[in-house]
Amino acid sequence: MTIYLGILLALICAFTTNLAFLYKHRGACAAPTVHVRHPVRSAVGLFSSRWFAVGMGVAVCAWVFHVAALAVAPMSVVQVVLAGGVVMLAVMAERIFGFKVGPRQWLGLGFTALGLVLLGITLPAVHNPQSQFSLPGMIAFEAGLVAVGGLLVMGKRIGAPDHHHGVMLAAAAGLLFGVSDVALKALTGLVADDGVLALLTTPWTGVAIAASVAAFYASAKALQEGEAVPVIAFTGTAANVSGIAGGIIVFGDPLPGDALGIVVQAIAFLLVIIAAALTPAPVRAAQPAAA
């Protein structure tokens, strides 16, 4: 029954995560511009915005549900359930927060959800939390995500169009959240084996914290520079894809054992790529309320 508990916790996490992002977008748009060279001043400016502070409070609740889900279910299963949250995102953004979600965005979000769900259901069933990992594989995977995230953050400096900077930062934030999620998954296994003191003796605690802080600033900057729905969708998709990959590569979640499963997974990744091309189209949002 623990895997079903993990799915339930992941569903709650998906809802609260999207709610948190929408609140944070409203607050970030009303806050002073984030400057990486002035991290403390930027953080103070963000938290001085009432809606951003509310969003961070909701995000902490979502994080608790996420950690709980990772502790009782395989990482790939948890991330696939979270992937379904992109559909919740569109409904919440349009009906509750007043954002205009166009046909292209609905199609893109639908492709994202379908692709990630197909990716998930083709993974063979796993009935334990799968927290054991290979240290070399963990280091290589985390370093790879950090490297790609760094390139995305530097996108504007290396010639990427300015109007794509928001979604590039969003994707970087998602990858950094993925780095943190993989480290957190490892920590759940270490704590289960060695107790809470393991958090003080393993470097993965520092990795999880550092990646979360970097993702915080990248996400806040993305929310200021881009439209809410594309930015949040890119952040979530990058985090979910990296989490599913981490479950397979780092923690040994099994791959499909037949040709049909592999073909379906290839189609799933193609759908996510198509969605990435569709989702960033212009989206007009309701004017954010004053902080």
Side-chain angles (χ1 to χ4, degrees):
M1 293 298 293
T2 56
I3 192 169
Y4 297 109
L5 176 60
I7 291 171
L8 175 61
L9 291 169
L11 282 171
I12 298 172
C13 176
F15 175 80
T16 51
T17 296
N18 284 318
L19 183 63
F21 267 121
L22 289 165
Y23 277 132
K24 286 193 291 181
H25 178 268
R26 177 174 290 181
C29 289
T33 302
V34 172
H35 294 286
V36 177
R37 294 182 180 179
H38 304 287
V40 176
R41 185 192 307 170
S42 296
V44 170
L46 287 167
F47 280 99
S48 66
S49 170
R50 176 167 56 91
W51 288 115
F52 190 88
V54 169
M56 284 302 299
V58 176
V60 170
C61 295
W63 179 83
V64 171
F65 285 118
H66 193 184
V67 173
L70 289 173
V72 298
M75 186 168 192
S76 56
V77 172
V78 172
Q79 297 303 136
V80 167
V81 174
L82 293 178
V86 295
V87 177
M88 295 185 198
L89 166 63
V91 176
M92 293 164 66
E94 190 168 71
R95 299 300 175 86
I96 301 175
F97 286 82
F99 290 93
K100 176 62 177 176
V101 183
R104 285 186 60 167
Q105 284 70 49
W106 278 108
L107 188 59
L109 292 171
F111 279 165
T112 300
L114 178 60
L116 292 174
V117 169
L118 285 176
L119 185 61
I121 63 177
T122 54
L123 295 173
V126 182
H127 300 291
N128 61 71
Q130 294 284 103
S131 298
Q132 301 301 315
F133 60 91
S134 162
L135 183 59
M138 179 81 155
I139 294 172
F141 184 79
E142 297 283 73
L145 289 185
V146 170
V148 176
L151 288 174
L152 289 168
V153 169
M154 296 173 59
K156 186 184 291 187
R157 295 185 178 181
I158 59 179
D162 287 351
H163 62 279
H164 285 165
H165 195 227
V167 292
M168 292 179 72
L169 284 172
L175 292 177
L176 291 169
F177 281 127
V179 171
S180 178
D181 290 345
V182 171
L184 284 171
K185 179 64 178 177
L187 290 174
T188 63
L190 293 173
V191 169
D193 293 339
D194 304 324
V196 177
L197 288 179
L199 296 175
L200 303 177
T201 59
T202 176
W204 301 116
T205 301
V207 170
I209 293 172
S212 295
V213 171
F216 166 82
Y217 285 105
S219 177
K221 187 68 171 176
L223 290 169
Q224 289 185 334
E225 294 200 5
E227 299 287 355
V229 172
V231 163
I232 298 171
F234 265 71
T235 303
T237 300
N240 288 324
V241 169
S242 58
I244 293 169
I248 296 170
I249 296 171
V250 178
F251 299 104
D253 292 355
L255 287 167
D258 54 54
L260 177 60
I262 294 173
V263 170
V264 172
Q265 287 205 350
I267 293 172
F269 279 112
L270 180 61
L271 287 171
V272 173
I273 293 170
I274 294 172
L278 290 172
T279 306
V283 179
R284 285 191 294 273
Q287 188 70 20

